[in-house]
Amino acid sequence: MKPVIAVVGGFLGAGKTTLILAAARVLQRRGMRAAIILNDQGDDLVDTCYVERLGLANAQVTGGCFCCRFPDLVQAAGQLLATEPDVIFAEAVGSCTDIAATTLRPLLRDHHDRFRVAPLTVLVHPARKFSDPHLDFLYQHQLAEADLIVERDVSVSGWLEQLLSGATPVAGRMLDIDYARYAEAEAALAWLNARVTARARPPLTPAMLVGPLLDRLEARIRIVHLKLFTQCDSGYLKAALTGNGQDPIVDGGLDASPSARHEILVNVRALTEPESLRDIVERELAALPVSITWRHMQCFRPAPPQPTYRSIGGI
């Protein structure tokens, strides 16, 4: 049987990765295999590192949304066929919309011989409405095109049944979207991905690095979504914030022993200027009680979306 491609959308911090990982565990208990495609405007992703540590088959599409990197999405899905998945979850960039016309319909039209395409799931964000008009524009359009809208506390088994049953029409809700306004809304966000190697003398635990760094960044940045990931020979730690004043979501080795060498990865999406965001992150990483070696840094505003295909009529 052909594997299912299930695109999961929703705004930054809605909980897409958490939902997908929970679904992968449910499928595993049923004797089925899941694979995951991560997607981002930049590269060097916290979620890719996290998924790899969990041992799940994965691929990533970077440098743009699925709509603008559609051939890369198809290539990534094709590569994952070697793992014989029953379901390939494709997690869309959290600022992306118009997925039905630019991703699902081209999949249905051109790749139905290799994949079954599931309805578009959009996850409700805990905020439900954003005070910033650019963010709310993106989020409301995401909800408007969803085939399935789910909450964070959804029954994962129930969602999977609905997703895979074939009873829900796929790409049934087309958007009438102003692409100039769409580009303006995405450009309101500064996007930063950075990686450093930290050497600590004396050795430090992952928690001793992540906790203070998270606090200092939150105090200085208007956060839309922030993820930190650190790994060392004693374990890893992932922490995420979906806004200022929110409790962090933490996973991994809170009790991991001290280590002299850590790889730290930071992904930030914020309402600020890219130059300011970069300066803050560089300054706060340099302030850690460790010796820092920079491995990667990119900070930018997303480019205007330019879909490879856009199908709003018949498939």
Side-chain angles (χ1 to χ4, degrees):
M1 183 177 291
K2 293 179 291 187
V4 172
I5 290 185
V7 179
V8 179
F11 201 70
L12 297 157
K16 299 183 293 297
T17 307
T18 301
L19 176 63
I20 289 170
L21 292 176
R25 291 191 289 270
V26 171
L27 291 173
Q28 187 176 35
R29 291 195 294 269
R30 296 178 183 178
M32 300 171 70
R33 296 181 181 178
I36 304 173
I37 301 174
L38 291 311
N39 182 210
D40 197 71
Q41 300 277 9
D43 52 33
D44 217 356
L45 311 182
V46 164
D47 284 341
T48 300
C49 292
Y50 182 50
V51 167
E52 287 176 349
R53 286 299 299 253
L54 296 177
L56 290 167
N58 69 91
Q60 62 179 18
V61 173
T62 59
C65 303
F66 288 144
C67 63
C68 302
R69 294 289 184 269
F70 186 78
D72 296 342
L73 169 63
V74 174
Q75 181 180 27
Q79 291 172 345
L80 288 172
L81 291 178
T83 68
E84 299 182 344
D86 297 285
V87 181
I88 300 172
F89 293 103
E91 181 182 339
V93 174
S95 62
C96 184
T97 188
D98 204 28
I99 295 171
T102 63
T103 304
L104 268 65
R105 288 208 166 198
L107 283 171
L108 287 166
R109 183 189 65 214
D110 299 332
H111 301 280
H112 60 274
D113 57 326
R114 301 171 69 198
F115 308 104
R116 291 185 294 142
V117 182
L120 172 62
T121 296
V122 172
L123 192 57
V124 173
H125 194 281
R128 296 187 177 271
K129 183 174 177 61
F130 293 91
S131 58
D132 183 273
H134 297 302
L135 304 191
D136 205 55
F137 173 89
L138 297 170
Y139 178 52
Q140 297 303 328
H141 278 80
Q142 289 173 346
L143 293 175
E145 69 167 338
D147 297 315
L148 297 173
I149 296 176
V150 299
E151 304 272 355
R152 267 194 181 184
D153 59 354
V154 67
S155 162
V156 177
S157 294
W159 170 60
L160 283 172
E161 294 299 331
Q162 192 173 11
L163 187 74
L164 305 178
S165 68
T168 302
V170 178
R173 304 174 70 185
M174 296 294 101
L175 293 180
D176 179 12
I177 185 167
D178 179 344
Y179 260 71
R181 179 69 183 90
Y182 180 11
E184 179 186 19
E186 281 207 299
L189 289 163
W191 218 268
L192 179 142
N193 292 353
R195 178 188 292 268
V196 300
T197 299
R199 291 178 173 82
R201 294 184 180 85
L204 295 173
T205 67
M208 291 172 68
L209 284 175
V210 168
L213 180 58
L214 197 67
D215 290 342
R216 292 173 68 94
L217 291 175
E218 183 185 3
R220 291 159 175 80
I221 298 170
R222 189 178 175 190
I223 293 168
V224 176
H225 202 198
L226 185 155
K227 296 181 182 180
L228 294 174
F229 187 87
T230 182
Q231 51 189 337
C232 60
D233 53 11
S234 63
Y236 74 90
L237 195 62
K238 178 194 174 189
L241 277 175
T242 58
N244 299 81
Q246 303 295 315
D247 292 330
I249 301 167
V250 181
D251 187 51
L254 283 169
D255 57 352
S257 58
S259 178
R261 186 177 187 275
H262 301 259
E263 292 290 325
I264 303 174
L265 183 59
V266 183
N267 293 169
V268 188
R269 319 301 177 228
L271 285 166
T272 187
E273 296 295 325
E275 296 80 8
S276 173
L277 178 58
R278 178 172 185 149
D279 288 346
I280 291 169
V281 172
E282 287 179 341
R283 184 167 60 249
E284 297 308 331
L285 281 167
L288 293 173
V290 295
S291 173
I292 293 289
T293 302
W294 285 91
R295 302 297 184 190
H296 179 71
M297 165 62 84
Q298 57 178 181
C299 190
F300 58 92
R301 293 195 188 280
Q306 296 181 326
T308 306
Y309 306 106
R310 188 168 190 262
S311 174
I312 59 174
I315 302 297

